[in-house]
Amino acid sequence: VYVKENHSNRLVSLALVEKGGVRNFLPEQSGFEMSLIRMIKSGSEKYSYDDIQDIKYKTHASFYGAAMNEGSYLEIDCLDYYFDQMLDVFCDGILNPVFAEDEFNTMMKEHSQRLQRMQSDPASFAYYTGIDLVYSDHPYKTHPWPTEKSIQNITIEGLKKLHEDFLDAGKISFVLVGNIDGAKAVRKLNAMFGSVPRLTQAKDFLEPVEKIKISGENVVLSSSASEGTGFILGFFASPSITDEDFMSAHIASDMFGDMLYQVVREKYGACYTPSCGTIWSNAAFGLINLYRVKI
């Protein structure tokens, strides 16, 4: 547990970080961990989905999470006055999710709609096609999000089995920041999670992974939705988040993005929005994005 007491305001944030990420899954299991995170937030033995939404509304608290290449996380943010209540919602959701069929079906509809948007929106179609190409021969070829080939493999029984693997003291860390008594909060977390078994040996969250190599021919895609307009993405190699020059590269890309906007957009009006940035990842890349180019 990593604790930072901050008594300058009354806010508290608590996150569970699950180490590992997509390297633990096959490509046909893309989106499994994202789906588990979604179901953990959708109801537990003590709190139904409606109960959670009602508590969040009344307390102005948040309970959210996401899956990424390097791992996943679940987080609550609230005022210190509501921390004990939100901590109970948080812990019961992680330890005792119910995997309600109606919430599972809702989630699967959301996955399907997201895939449809990825295919129909030209900018998204270009980006996700680029991701597939960049990571085609890499451990990150499994994606955090469901794909057309993996969505049919997501089942309630499969997520229940994944939850058993998720509860592994060798992969879990907590980060707690806010107006709290750190020692008291750690005792509460230990009471809730102290009996979680260690199924694997602890590994560094930023365990090295091979860098990506970007090369090959340019790819041109057609989309009826972008008639008369182009969406141009340029992928380039970038330092990983563990490299000492990562932050320098990130700042340089951000500065270049500002220059692109001033010249390409404001001076010449060649496209709607140009930008440049780097991905915060162990296997990072940079991206130049020219959004809605006049053709």
Side-chain angles (χ1 to χ4, degrees), residues 226-231 291-295:
S226 64
E227 185 175 356
T229 305
F231 298 83
Y291 183 79
R292 292 190 180 279
V293 180
K294 295 179 180 179
I295 297 178

Side-chain angles (χ1 to χ4, degrees), residues 46-238:
K46 291 174 63 175
Y47 302 96
S48 68
Y49 176 82
D50 290 338
D51 291 336
I52 295 173
Q53 302 312 305
D54 185 58
I55 291 171
K56 288 165 57 180
Y57 177 77
K58 291 179 178 178
T59 63
H60 299 284
S62 59
F63 180 18
Y64 56 95
M68 300 169 289
N69 283 333
E70 284 78 19
S72 58
Y73 71 95
L74 288 148
E75 181 171 341
I76 52 171
D77 299 321
C78 61
L79 292 172
D80 55 4
Y81 182 81
Y82 300 113
F83 178 65
D84 286 345
Q85 182 181 20
M86 287 304 300
L87 177 64
D88 198 55
V89 172
F90 178 78
C91 293
D92 200 57
I94 294 168
L95 295 170
N96 305 302
V98 293
F99 299 99
E101 186 172 357
D102 55 344
E103 291 302 326
F104 175 80
N105 291 335
T106 298
M107 177 189 71
M108 294 305 291
K109 290 179 181 177
E110 292 171 353
H111 286 337
S112 296
Q113 291 168 355
R114 183 176 184 274
L115 285 172
Q116 291 174 1
R117 288 194 299 270
M118 286 169 54
Q119 295 294 326
S120 60
D121 176 63
S124 296
F125 184 44
Y127 177 75
Y128 287 109
T129 300
I131 294 294
D132 284 337
L133 293 172
V134 166
Y135 289 135
S136 60
D137 296 316
H138 191 273
Y140 287 178
K141 63 184 176 181
T142 299
H143 297 309
W145 53 83
T147 65
E148 287 185 320
K149 295 181 179 179
S150 70
I151 188 170
Q152 67 269 18
N153 299 327
I154 302 173
T155 65
I156 290 178
E157 291 306 315
L159 295 182
K160 288 180 178 179
K161 176 62 173 66
L162 179 58
H163 179 250
E164 296 175 4
D165 298 332
F166 186 88
L167 293 179
D168 177 359
K171 295 189 290 186
I172 291 175
S173 296
F174 292 94
V175 180
L176 177 62
V177 180
N179 187 36
I180 38 82
D181 180 330
K184 181 179 179 182
V186 169
R187 287 195 296 270
K188 290 182 178 180
L189 284 172
N190 191 55
M192 294 285 193
F193 290 94
S195 60
V196 171
R198 182 176 297 276
L199 304 177
T200 60
Q201 295 301 311
K203 293 183 178 180
D204 185 354
F205 179 50
L206 297 176
E207 184 179 357
V209 64
E210 64 185 80
K211 294 183 179 181
I212 58 174
K213 300 177 178 63
I214 298 179
S215 62
E217 298 294 327
N218 293 331
V219 176
V220 179
L221 307 170
S222 61
S223 170
S224 59
S226 64
E227 185 175 356
T229 305
F231 298 83
I232 302 175
L233 301 178
F235 292 82
F236 59 90
S238 179

Side-chain angles (χ1 to χ4, degrees), residues 248-260:
S248 298
H250 178 72
I251 294 172
S253 296
D254 192 50
M255 293 172 65
F256 181 59
D258 289 341
M259 292 173 60
L260 282 174

